[in-house]
């Protein structure tokens, strides 16, 4: 299995390599048996991972030349050489990458990003004339992926402390009250007068931030108080005869 996630780092590296100046037509010149051989990026990948049995001399020559050119290119340049090294190294990481993904609940994009960081760090320190420069870089990338997976496994998800405290401190929960979350209660508190509601009726809410005129009007209509509410809006200086409070169901009174 060698498919890549289109959102992952490996796919982005491949796309960037093709768009980089000289990326598509880039030729890597390697020396095999004292004979120069020009290879395209696809040719290099085939030589490194293709079948039948690989040519170890050609494989070593490809990695050495790719590392040398990547380290010699200017930092402010297109970075084609570094992109090529990353692109060539990606297939060697697939086996461990898929093992980690099967064992852990980790985002593939994050895992690929960790591998890329390790490859770039190793590229700056690896000896291109060493016995196996590719093996060193790939080992560093694999180790960093497993280390990242280990850190993620040790992370323990926790509840939202603020919301938990708010729910715990509530006097009556929505479930305990048996009411829907969007239900409201209407409370009319008239003074001890025999003639009842005879002056302006004023509405108040439990919180200024939750003013809902349409909701209040609907509740007043259901309670048969529409006419009183209408007159209350037209006579602001009239005598206060009572208080009507609109609050969410279950809130402390």
């Amino acid at each position: 299995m060698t498919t890549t996630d289109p959102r992952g780092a490996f796919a982005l590296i491949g796309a960037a390599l093709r768009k980089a100046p000289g990326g598509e037509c880039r030729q890597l010149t390697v020396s095999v048996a004292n004979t120069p051989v020009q290879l395209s990026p696809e040719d290099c990948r085939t030589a490194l991972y293709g079948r039948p049995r690989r040519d170890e001399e050609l494989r070593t020559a490809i990695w050495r030349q790719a590392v040398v050119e990547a380290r010699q290119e200017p930092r402010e340049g297109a970075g084609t050489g570094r992109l090529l090294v990353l692109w060539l190294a990606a297939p060697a990481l697939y086996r461990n990458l898929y093992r980690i993904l099967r064992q852990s609940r980790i985002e593939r994009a994050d895992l690929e990003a960790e591998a890329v960081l390790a490859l770039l760090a190793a590229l700056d320190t690896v000896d291109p004339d060493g016995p196996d420069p590719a093996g060193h870089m790939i080992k560093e990338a694999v180790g960093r992926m497993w280390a990242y997976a280990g850190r993620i496994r040790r992370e323990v998800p926790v509840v939202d402390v603020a919301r938990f405290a708010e729910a715990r401190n509530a006097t009556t929960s929505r479930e305990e009250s048996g009411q829907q979350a969007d239900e409201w209660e209407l409370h009319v508190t008239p003074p001890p007068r025999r003639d009842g509601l005879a002056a302006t009726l004023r509405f108040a809410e439990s919180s200024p931030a939750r003013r809902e005129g349409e909701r209040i009007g609907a509740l007043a209509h259901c309670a048969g108080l529409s006419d009183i509410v209408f007159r209350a809006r037209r006579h602001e200086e009239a005598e206060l005869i009572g208080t009507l409070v609109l609050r969410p169901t279950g809130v402390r009174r």
Side-chain angles (χ1 to χ4, degrees):
M1 184 183 297
T2 59
T3 57
T4 58
D5 183 350
R7 301 165 299 176
F10 294 161
L12 296 177
I13 288 169
L17 178 62
R18 289 188 292 271
K19 295 178 182 179
E24 292 184 351
C25 59
R26 180 185 179 89
Q27 299 289 317
L28 196 68
T29 302
V30 300
S31 178
V32 179
N34 296 323
T35 302
V37 178
Q38 285 193 338
L39 302 171
S40 67
E42 291 76 13
D43 293 335
C44 292
R45 260 200 176 184
T46 301
L48 294 176
Y49 305 106
R51 295 292 186 270
R53 186 165 165 264
R54 295 186 302 236
D55 185 337
E56 290 300 325
E57 183 180 0
L58 178 58
R59 176 181 179 277
T60 301
I62 290 173
W63 278 118
R64 180 187 180 282
Q65 191 62 30
V67 170
V68 168
E69 293 189 11
R71 302 213 5 209
Q72 288 178 346
E73 67 180 359
R75 291 284 183 174
E76 63 276 8
T80 310
R82 289 180 173 266
L83 289 174
L84 178 60
V85 170
L86 296 174
W87 189 71
L88 293 179
L93 304 175
Y94 288 150
R95 177 180 299 178
N96 282 276
L97 183 141
Y98 288 119
R99 285 183 60 191
I100 295 172
L101 292 178
R102 286 195 299 267
Q103 297 176 14
S104 308
R105 300 180 62 181
I106 298 176
E107 292 292 335
R108 174 169 175 167
D110 294 338
L111 200 59
E112 290 185 5
E114 292 291 323
V116 169
L117 292 175
L119 288 171
L120 290 173
L123 178 59
D124 289 333
T125 60
V126 69
D127 180 7
D129 295 319
D132 188 10
H136 171 74
M137 293 188 296
I138 292 169
K139 181 180 179 181
E140 291 294 317
V142 169
R144 182 154 179 163
M145 286 194 300
W146 281 105
Y148 175 75
R151 293 197 304 271
I152 295 300
R153 290 194 195 99
R154 291 192 296 270
E155 292 182 358
V156 179
V158 297
V159 298
D160 187 326
V161 177
R163 294 184 62 182
F164 177 79
E166 181 181 356
R168 182 177 181 180
N169 294 333
T171 302
T172 306
S173 66
R174 300 291 185 195
E175 293 76 8
E176 292 174 346
S177 65
Q179 302 290 340
Q180 297 295 327
D182 58 351
E183 288 188 357
W184 293 70
E185 293 178 346
L186 185 66
H187 298 271
V188 179
T189 309
R193 293 175 50 180
R194 295 182 178 180
D195 50 357
L197 300 175
T200 300
L201 181 66
R202 297 181 182 179
F203 284 81
E205 294 184 54
S206 60
S207 171
R210 304 186 68 171
R211 294 191 184 97
E212 298 184 15
E214 293 183 3
R215 189 189 298 270
I216 296 175
L219 290 172
H221 176 74
C222 293
L225 303 175
S226 300
D227 182 62
I228 296 175
V229 173
F230 177 75
R231 288 188 290 108
R233 294 173 56 197
R234 299 174 62 85
H235 302 281
E236 296 181 356
E237 301 301 325
E239 178 187 358
L240 175 65
I241 65 169
T243 302
L244 184 147
V245 179
L246 183 67
R247 62 167 63 94
T249 302
V251 172
R252 180 183 301 175
R253 303 175 184 177

